[in-house]
Amino acid sequence: MKVSELSDVLYEVDDGLAWITINRPERLNAFRARTIDELVHCFKLAWGDPAVGVIALTGAGDRAFCVGGDQKQRLETGDYGPSEYGVFQDEYLQRLIRDVPKPVIAAVNGYAIGGGQVLHVVCDLSIAADHAQFGQAGPRVGSFDAGFGTAYLARHVGVRRAREIWYLCRRYSAATMLEWGLVNCVVPMSGLREEVRTWADEMLALSPAALKFVKHSFNADTESIAGISAVAFDGLAAFVGSDEAREGVTAFNEKRVPDFGKYR
């Protein structure tokens, strides 16, 4: 896959900083299987490029970072569409963001909801625009991410708050997430890219080998979550075909409250 062949993602390198941008603003940068394929490709490009020292992940426009899986696509086809490899690589992408031996900054330019919040959580650092909103949606739409999206989230905000985020599916402001420790810095949207640039330049002035070892050391403490994640995604693959899961995605697309009562 060449950069010129990308349809869902933009990739550019600017003076040591690789920008990976989910480019589906008409769907609030929700991802389908092709989007994930392209994100995987871009992170591998950044990994292997000696000119890249820091990676920034963001979304196109000023409304959304990413709102998770494309629920319209899921309603239409029962999945997230065709993948180049025949496999939906969401779990692999999360591991890749952790494994790439370079710092990854989430530049949160709007909604970071559902699977989009999980992508933000697995990044090394997070800089948010002041209008950004965070939260989970899985239990509302008949889905879940019971790996890094839950256990690793609890390492950031604490178990009680992580349970609140998942059990209630509320929306939280950037200011609240800063207070809870889920983001490092909050800036006006107009200064988001400049702030990311500043943080990237500070890291680009440091030893890349040292940063690599430090990142792997941080990850080692939570690597057991990868096994939980594998079990969770296998369970999710079985669950999404159920009547309960279909009620969630159908209600979401019909803009109504789902009726999960009969599945208790």
Side-chain angles (χ1 to χ4, degrees):
M1 184 186 299
K2 300 178 180 178
V3 172
S4 61
E5 296 173 342
L6 299 175
S7 63
D8 290 15
V9 176
L10 302 175
Y11 181 79
E12 61 177 315
V13 177
D14 176 22
D15 195 18
L17 173 60
W19 282 95
I20 299 175
T21 304
I22 303 172
N23 189 32
R24 305 187 77 219
E26 74 285 355
R27 294 286 180 100
L28 294 179
N29 296 318
F31 53 72
R32 55 181 178 167
R34 180 178 178 87
T35 317
I36 299 294
D37 287 348
E38 293 185 6
L39 287 169
V40 167
H41 180 68
C42 289
F43 271 98
K44 287 185 173 181
L45 285 178
W47 184 331
D49 187 350
V52 173
V54 179
I55 304 166
L57 176 63
T58 193
D62 60 5
R63 295 184 64 201
F65 171 76
C66 175
V67 295
D70 188 334
Q71 300 305 313
K72 291 183 179 179
Q73 173 78 53
R74 183 177 157 210
L75 180 65
E76 292 168 1
T77 65
D79 56 20
Y80 291 110
S83 165
E84 183 175 355
Y85 308 100
V87 177
F88 186 51
Q89 299 191 96
D90 190 16
E91 179 199 3
Y92 179 67
L93 174 62
Q94 294 173 17
R95 295 194 190 195
L96 179 58
I97 292 172
R98 283 169 53 88
D99 289 344
V100 60
K102 302 173 181 181
V104 180
I105 304 172
V108 186
N109 56 306
Y111 292 113
I113 305 296
Q117 180 181 1
V118 179
L119 291 181
H120 149 261
V121 167
V122 297
C123 291
D124 297 295
L125 299 167
S126 177
I127 301 174
D130 54 11
H131 73 290
Q133 293 189 41
F134 302 79
Q136 264 310 320
R140 180 176 288 127
V141 299
S143 184
F144 56 82
D145 185 334
F148 289 112
T150 52
Y152 191 50
L153 174 66
R155 293 296 186 98
H156 289 279
V157 302
V159 174
R160 295 293 188 186
R161 284 172 170 164
R163 289 174 189 255
E164 175 187 325
I165 289 170
W166 273 96
Y167 290 178
L168 301 180
C169 293
R170 291 175 174 172
R171 299 290 175 264
Y172 301 89
S173 69
T176 297
M177 291 297 94
L178 178 64
E179 179 185 347
W180 287 12
L182 196 58
V183 302
N184 298 92
C185 179
V186 177
V187 297
M189 179 63 194
S190 60
L192 180 61
R193 289 182 71 96
E194 181 180 353
E195 189 70 19
V196 172
R197 178 78 258 178
T198 297
W199 286 55
D201 285 342
E202 290 188 39
M203 289 184 283
L204 287 166
L206 304 176
S207 162
L211 291 178
K212 174 172 64 175
F213 278 103
V214 167
K215 176 167 180 173
H216 290 329
S217 178
F218 279 125
N219 287 345
D221 181 53
T222 55
E223 194 58 26
S224 61
I225 298 174
I228 301 171
S229 179
V231 172
F233 271 91
D234 283 347
L236 178 61
F239 173 67
V240 292
S242 69
D243 290 342
E244 182 177 347
R246 278 193 289 269
E247 167 60 15
V249 69
T250 301
F252 175 84
N253 282 281
E254 293 178 353
K255 302 185 186 305
R256 60 174 174 82
V257 177
D259 180 11
F260 287 127
K262 60 186 174 182
Y263 301 108
R264 293 195 184 97

